[in-house]
Amino acid sequence: QVQLVQSGAEVKKPGSSVRVSCKTSGGTFSSDAISWVRQAPGQGLDWMGVMIPMFGTANYVQKFQGRITITADASSSTAYMELTGLTSEDTAVYYCARAPASIAAPDSWGQGTRVTISS
Amino acid sequence: DIHLTQSPSTLSASLGDRVSITCRASQSISTRLAWYQEKPGKAPKLLIYDAFHLQSGVPSRFSGSESGTEFTLTISSLQPEDFATYYCLQYNTYLYTFGQGTKLEIK
């Protein structure tokens, strides 16, 4: 059974950065695609970017380019998402999601990490 | 970027009804489309992948179809637990996009 466990809630100041972790188990970490998705209060799902650890590179949605970095540590099967230059519009629940190579669609999700931006 | 237009944004229906939600892609995505169900406070749940493949453990009343760039999620007979928000997701390239979501409400 694949499990993704995310780090805990964060409260950040405007202009600062946040790093959310996503520890996976039960999958094939290196070949799985790990996506990051966020959902602002009362809004829909917003896909942010994806990384396949074995390839070592990440793809990001244009609107986050320059502010987002997705990384992965294969030794601990943990993915990370860092977002810089935070504003109130970044207040959201952030999810990691894993897609196995066999189906390519994310089939397992983390529990979500609430990030609140407040001065 | 590939844009998905999902409709309707809200759907009111009764128990036992057959309902459909549509997602139209701005360009060809082959069959690289998935459907998710989301309930408040919970992570999205994969229902359908590759346009019409039912994810393991998902009830057979859920089905997906495809016609060119138009994709449809159908629920054949609504059950109480089906009232939720549904999203489509395209993953044809490594720049995924979600549809805007459809809130399925009890009439």
Side-chain angles (χ1 to χ4, degrees):
Chain A
Q1 171 123 2
V2 177
Q3 282 195 310
L4 288 75
V5 179
Q6 298 182 222
S7 49
E10 302 263 14
V11 179
K12 293 291 184 179
K13 301 277 190 197
S16 68
S17 302
V18 68
R19 190 190 197 208
V20 181
S21 68
C22 172
K23 183 170 177 58
T24 75
S25 60
T28 309
F29 184 75
S30 290
S31 60
D32 292 341
I34 305 295
S35 286
W36 289 88
V37 175
R38 76 178 188 182
Q39 185 169 41
Q43 303 299 307
L45 299 172
D46 197 7
W47 188 82
M48 303 175 72
V50 66
M51 182 180 203
I52 300 177
M54 68 184 294
F55 294 157
T57 58
N59 284 4
Y60 307 120
V61 168
Q62 178 68 31
K63 71 175 183 179
F64 297 111
Q65 287 276 3
R67 290 207 301 138
I68 186 173
T69 304
I70 297 173
T71 57
D73 178 358
S75 67
S76 63
S77 298
T78 302
Y80 300 89
M81 187 282 298
E82 182 175 29
L83 192 62
T84 63
L86 296 171
T87 72
S88 59
E89 294 187 350
D90 294 315
T91 292
V93 175
Y94 289 76
Y95 293 101
C96 60
R98 164 260 192 188
S102 58
I103 68 170
D107 68 348
S108 302
W109 293 64
Q111 81 277 19
T113 296
R114 184 173 301 277
V115 176
T116 304
I117 313 305
S118 174
S119 55
Chain B
D1 290 3
I2 297 172
H3 185 69
L4 295 179
T5 302
Q6 187 175 339
S7 61
S9 55
T10 306
L11 181 56
S12 296
S14 301
L15 290 175
D17 281 356
R18 178 185 178 91
V19 299
S20 293
I21 299 167
T22 298
C23 195
R24 181 174 286 110
S26 60
Q27 63 190 75
S28 174
I29 56 170
S30 184
T31 57
R32 297 301 235 186
L33 187 116
W35 290 97
Y36 292 85
Q37 177 191 69
E38 189 192 39
K39 294 184 177 179
K42 294 197 168 184
K45 174 186 176 182
L46 177 64
L47 302 174
I48 302 283
Y49 64 93
D50 285 354
F52 50 82
H53 291 280
L54 193 68
Q55 173 68 345
S56 176
V58 174
S60 59
R61 63 181 180 272
F62 291 91
S63 64
S65 62
E66 167 262 344
S67 178
T69 58
E70 186 166 299
F71 300 82
T72 302
L73 172 71
T74 299
I75 309 172
S76 60
S77 178
L78 280 173
Q79 300 301 301
E81 61 269 28
D82 299 338
F83 292 94
T85 301
Y86 293 84
Y87 294 90
C88 53
L89 170 75
Q90 72 80 21
Y91 48 98
N92 188 52
T93 66
Y94 282 117
L95 284 174
Y96 304 178
T97 43
F98 282 100
Q100 300 92 329
T102 296
K103 186 173 184 180
L104 179 54
E105 300 178 329
I106 300 176
K107 187 184 287 184

